[in-house]
């Protein structure tokens, strides 16, 4: 069966796909069913700006099967570049949408990242929210580079679990680097969901939905973790506004041709 062709736009250097929760889950279901080894990136301003400065990371994003508009600035960016009606496809909500479908289809998931207590709390929370959700396994890797033997053991553990989808909670850019490195080794769809592990374990509170709708989630998170997030929000965000503002100006002046390069991706 031929998959529907995706529309996409480049926001700065990064391809962002015009998708929805239903469309994304449909694609993930197809890939999970046939056992395709691929990965999904939930892109926000931090991801786009990291790729803007780092060519190697940009290539990692280019190889993703799907890049969703995780942050409201990217949603608005897609709309400004001609994808009218685009909605947010937020990593944590995509995780919940997939868990709901996985519970109904009996497709096992795997949780990789975080800490052991975090994984234990998150597994309980997800199974309470989605009765029957099959969690094939969990693993909290050490907070250091893994040896070749440790990495191979992780791959064996995941593949032997029978998981069809693996959620990766290592944060940007580590989770995207991990998924790219293990594409072809993990026999499942990998989805990077970053802070979702902290949210669903109860370790960190999510911004209120009204702040998310207004694109102010960054302000809420910055207030929670200013020491860790100051550079991301106080340097990256203003730079994004300047650079993307220039891109939109070019789009208005010279039309959509350059911005639509790479649209119509088939993945």
């Amino acid at each position: 069966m031929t998959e529907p062709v995706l529309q996409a736009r480049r926001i700065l250097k990064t391809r962002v796909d015009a998708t929805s929760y239903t469309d994304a889950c449909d694609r993930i279901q197809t890939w999970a069913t046939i056992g395709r080894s691929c990965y999904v990136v939930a892109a926000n301003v931090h991801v786009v700006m990291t790729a803007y400065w780092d060519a190697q990371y940009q290539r990692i994003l280019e190889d993703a099967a799907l890049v969703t508009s995780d942050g409201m600035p990217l949603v608005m960016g897609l709309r400004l570049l001609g994808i009218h009606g685009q909605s947010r496809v937020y990593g944590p909500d995509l995780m919940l949408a997939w868990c709901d479908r996985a519970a109904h289809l009996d497709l096992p998931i795997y949780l990789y990242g975080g800490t052991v207590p975090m994984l234990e709390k998150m597994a309980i929370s997800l199974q309470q929210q989605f009765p029957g959700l099959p969690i094939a396994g969990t693993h909290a890797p050490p907070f250091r580079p893994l040896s070749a033997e440790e990495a191979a053991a992780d791959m064996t553990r995941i593949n032997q679990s029978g998981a069809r989808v693996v959620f990766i909670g290592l944060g940007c850019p580590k989770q995207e680097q991990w998924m790219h490195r293990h594409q072809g080794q993990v026999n499942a769809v990998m989805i990077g969901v970053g802070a979702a592990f902290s949210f669903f374990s109860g370790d960190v509170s999510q911004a209120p939905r009204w702040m998310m709708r207004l694109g102010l989630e960054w302000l809420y998170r910055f207030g929670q973790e200013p020491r860790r997030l100051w550079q991301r929000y106080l340097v990256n965000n203003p730079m994004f506004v300047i650079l993307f503002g220039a891109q939109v100006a070019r789009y208005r002046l010279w039309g959509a041709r350059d911005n639509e390069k790479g649209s119509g991706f088939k993945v």
Side-chain angles (χ1 to χ4, degrees):
M1 180 178 175
T2 303
E3 294 173 29
V5 175
L6 278 167
Q7 276 192 300
R9 294 292 187 269
R10 298 236 172 239
I11 295 183
L12 303 189
K13 297 178 181 179
T14 299
R15 176 193 109 227
V16 182
D17 296 313
T19 186
S20 64
Y21 291 112
T22 299
D23 175 72
C25 286
D26 287 346
R27 293 175 188 277
I28 292 165
Q29 181 178 334
T30 298
W31 301 330
T33 301
I34 64 176
R36 179 178 172 185
S37 180
C38 60
Y39 58 94
V40 176
V41 174
N44 55 21
V45 168
H46 180 47
V47 168
V48 169
M49 290 305 298
T50 300
Y52 185 80
W53 304 117
D54 185 337
Q56 184 176 8
Y57 184 69
Q58 172 60 37
R59 287 191 291 272
I60 289 172
L61 300 187
E62 201 64 33
D63 286 342
L66 186 66
V67 181
T68 77
S69 50
D70 174 272
M72 283 306 296
L74 301 196
V75 173
M76 292 183 280
L78 289 178
R79 293 174 184 172
L80 288 169
L81 296 177
I83 306 291
H84 304 295
Q86 176 62 43
S87 59
R88 188 180 190 188
V89 183
Y90 176 49
D93 284 354
L94 178 59
M95 181 176 179
L96 295 180
W98 178 255
C99 285
D100 182 53
R101 187 173 296 200
H104 287 93
L105 298 177
D106 195 33
L107 290 173
I109 69 166
Y110 196 100
L111 306 173
Y112 185 92
T115 64
V116 171
M118 182 185 292
L119 292 173
E120 290 174 347
K121 290 183 287 185
M122 180 167 57
I124 292 170
S125 175
L126 291 174
Q127 289 182 318
Q128 287 175 340
Q129 191 169 353
F130 306 104
L133 173 66
I135 299 180
T138 67
H139 184 63
F143 290 95
R144 56 167 173 76
L146 301 184
S147 67
E149 292 77 13
E150 288 172 323
D154 283 356
M155 297 306 98
T156 300
R157 188 182 297 112
I158 291 170
N159 290 333
Q160 289 182 347
S161 76
R164 305 316 311 143
V165 169
V166 183
F167 288 106
I168 313 297
L170 300 176
C172 168
K174 291 181 180 179
Q175 64 194 15
E176 290 79 28
Q177 293 166 341
W178 190 96
M179 293 188 295
H180 183 262
R181 189 162 60 248
H182 297 299
Q183 184 173 222
Q185 299 174 15
V186 173
N187 301 325
V189 182
M190 298 166 280
I191 307 176
V193 292
F197 279 35
S198 298
F199 295 153
F200 299 149
S201 65
D203 287 13
V204 175
S205 64
Q206 282 185 279
R209 290 285 164 169
W210 69 266
M211 294 189 78
M212 293 185 186
R213 287 192 295 271
L214 294 174
L216 296 175
E217 183 180 6
W218 70 271
L219 184 60
Y220 185 87
R221 292 199 63 199
F222 177 63
Q224 288 183 311
E225 302 179 89
R227 187 170 298 178
R228 186 175 75 86
L229 298 176
W230 72 268
Q231 186 172 15
R232 178 187 302 189
Y233 293 133
L234 300 185
V235 177
N236 275 353
N237 283 16
M239 283 299 301
F240 174 81
V241 170
I242 294 168
L243 292 168
F244 185 64
Q247 180 182 343
V248 171
R250 290 194 300 272
Y251 178 85
R252 299 299 186 197
L253 286 171
W254 296 309
R257 184 171 58 185
D258 289 341
N259 288 288
E260 292 180 356
K261 287 180 180 178
S263 65
F265 286 94
K266 182 181 181 300
V267 295

